[in-house]
Amino acid sequence: MPAAQLTDLRVDADRLVRRIEELGAIGGLEGGGCARLALTDEDRLGRDLVGTWMEDLGLDVHIDAIGNVVGTLAGREDGAPVMTGSHIDTVATGGLYDGNLGVLAGLEVLETLARAGVTTRRPMAVGYFTDEEGARFAPDMLGSLVYVGGLTVEDAYDVVGVDGAVLGEELDRIGYRGATPCPGRTPFAFVELHIEQGPVLEDAAIGIGVVTGVQGISWQEVRVTGRSSHAGTTPMHLRRDAGYVAMRLGTFVRELAGELGEPQVGTVGRLDLRPDLVNVVAASATMTVDLRNVSEAVLEEAEWRFAACCDELAAAEHCTIERTALARFAPVDFDPRVVDLVEATARRLGNTTLRMPSGAGHDAQMMARVCPTAMVFVPSVGGISHNVEEFTEPADLEAGANVLLQTLLHLAETEADDWAEADHQATESPWAAS
Ligand code: HGY
Ligand code: MN
Ligand code: MN
């Protein structure tokens, strides 16, 4: 198919929306949304469904040692594939689009090409990565981290989940410990479509987010140990109140974000007091602290100021505090050539665009370690995500999927064998001209 016709190719938006809804029904929640925590039975059912769609399309499907699944459409030539993908595991209050859009839009791109009889120069691949959310097994982006060699598969197998399950055992239980070795094959380039999950695009009435990078992420578990005692008879100055210390730490996290200013964010998402009884001063408190910033230096400042607060409170309240890192990823800048291509493609297709960093972590954050990578955002209604009310308008889903299609097509057809030439190609190829 001549290049000029390739630029006219568009996805079948109805098929995409149907698949989003069909996958979303697995682990479906009352009132909408879905819960498919990593490596649960619901995750397995979602995996089985997406795997069936990949196989029905005739993709060459591989499951790797950490359960990442990649389907590849052969190219006219062998060599490194142009790759897209995301995740299909969700948080417990998940929506239908977080991660799922990126996987199903990638599948839709390959189906559009296959149905049009298009064989691109380079192979095209779509994948989903295990445990992107990290909500059950930390860290987040675990599967893509193993894919790029940032964590050994053996260490990943030993990760213990918030429910006490062991990752490797759960992977075996659902039958997704595959034979393909990790680290995975390095793609020629990786582009991920994702909902923004925040309010920026909607507030600005912009259709496509051209994602320039991802902010740094610091997750830690904090365990405060005090002493249980009687709530009625223990004078305040004699208490070793783990619950009070935990709540002071939570307040500190909130105030620290305010002091450091945007885009610093801080969240205490989990808090567990023991013995968790109305008339007992808490003996222990276990909580999580999530700190993020686009600046590594400011994120480090947030971390040491939090540590200093822990030390002060431990001394003042006669408690001990242990902190355990659950995830720590530095901010990532995406490849400017791919970012430029996403922007040029989105504009060529008539979209309004805005360059922006990602507040959420994504698998692209890991893929950027090994190949030229960028992301495409579409608006989230009300800026809501990790919430069953997560929603993106069908027209925005379609626009994002078409930007993904045309961006991947350009990458799969560019004559550049190495990225030094790609600059040259990006200006001369038919995609950039029109
Ligand atoms: O935590 C995150 O940013 C992502 O949802 N895993
Ligand atoms: Mn996601
Ligand atoms: Mn998420």
Side-chain angles (χ1 to χ4, degrees), residues 87 91 98 132-133 194 197 385-386:
H87 61 97
V91 294
D98 176 359
E132 187 278 344
E133 292 294 359
H194 205 287
Q197 301 183 283
S385 182
H386 284 188

Side-chain angles (χ1 to χ4, degrees), residues 102-114:
V103 176
L104 297 180
L107 183 69
E108 175 56 34
V109 163
L110 269 56
E111 179 139 7
T112 300
L113 296 178

Side-chain angles (χ1 to χ4, degrees), residues 87 91 98 131-135 140-141 194 197 217 219 290 292 359-362 365 386:
H87 61 97
V91 294
D98 176 359
D131 186 32
E132 187 278 344
E133 292 294 359
D140 54 348
M141 287 79 74
H194 205 287
Q197 301 183 283
I217 300 176
W219 285 3
D290 177 327
R292 307 197 195 195
H362 298 288
Q365 187 168 3
H386 284 188

Side-chain angles (χ1 to χ4, degrees), residues 84-314:
T84 187
S86 192
H87 61 97
I88 59 172
D89 65 298
T90 76
V91 294
T93 54
L96 301 190
Y97 307 90
D98 176 359
N100 303 308
L101 170 61
V103 176
L104 297 180
L107 183 69
E108 175 56 34
V109 163
L110 269 56
E111 179 139 7
T112 300
L113 296 178
R115 286 173 180 262
V118 172
T119 303
T120 49
R121 177 185 177 218
R122 292 185 174 84
M124 294 269 260
V126 57
Y128 64 81
F129 296 100
T130 295
D131 186 32
E132 187 278 344
E133 292 294 359
R136 186 182 183 203
F137 299 103
D140 54 348
M141 287 79 74
L142 183 143
S144 47
L145 182 64
V146 171
Y147 187 94
V148 300
L151 177 69
T152 67
V153 71
E154 292 73 22
D155 286 347
Y157 289 154
D158 291 341
V159 170
V160 177
V162 295
D163 53 2
V166 179
L167 189 149
E169 293 169 12
E170 284 293 276
L171 194 61
D172 287 334
R173 186 182 66 79
I174 68 166
Y176 272 88
R177 185 194 296 219
T180 301
C182 293
R185 180 171 197 181
T186 300
F188 176 76
F190 182 84
V191 182
E192 179 175 358
L193 171 64
H194 205 287
I195 54 171
E196 178 208 331
Q197 301 183 283
V200 172
L201 291 176
E202 185 181 60
D203 289 354
I206 295 279
I208 294 290
V210 178
V211 189
T212 53
V214 183
Q215 65 179 344
I217 300 176
S218 163
W219 285 3
Q220 47 189 318
E221 182 180 82
V222 180
R223 182 173 173 74
V224 184
T225 304
R227 182 183 60 196
S228 64
S229 58
H230 196 295
T233 58
T234 314
M236 299 309 283
H237 70 282
L238 293 180
R239 294 180 179 207
R240 294 169 51 191
D241 186 344
Y244 168 70
V245 170
M247 287 179 272
R248 281 284 304 274
L249 289 174
T251 306
F252 178 82
V253 165
R254 177 66 176 245
E255 290 165 355
L256 179 63
E259 277 174 45
L260 294 173
E262 298 211 344
Q264 180 65 43
V265 288
T267 312
V268 173
R270 300 190 69 217
L271 175 58
D272 178 71
L273 301 184
R274 295 293 153 138
D276 197 21
L277 298 170
V278 61
N279 57 356
V280 181
V281 174
S284 72
T286 304
M287 60 196 278
T288 57
V289 175
D290 177 327
L291 300 169
R292 307 197 195 195
N293 201 297
V294 292
S295 155
E296 175 62 18
V298 179
L299 184 55
E300 285 174 11
E301 179 185 349
E303 287 175 319
W304 68 255
R305 286 176 62 174
F306 178 75
C309 180
C310 288
D311 294 345
E312 267 170 50
L313 275 171

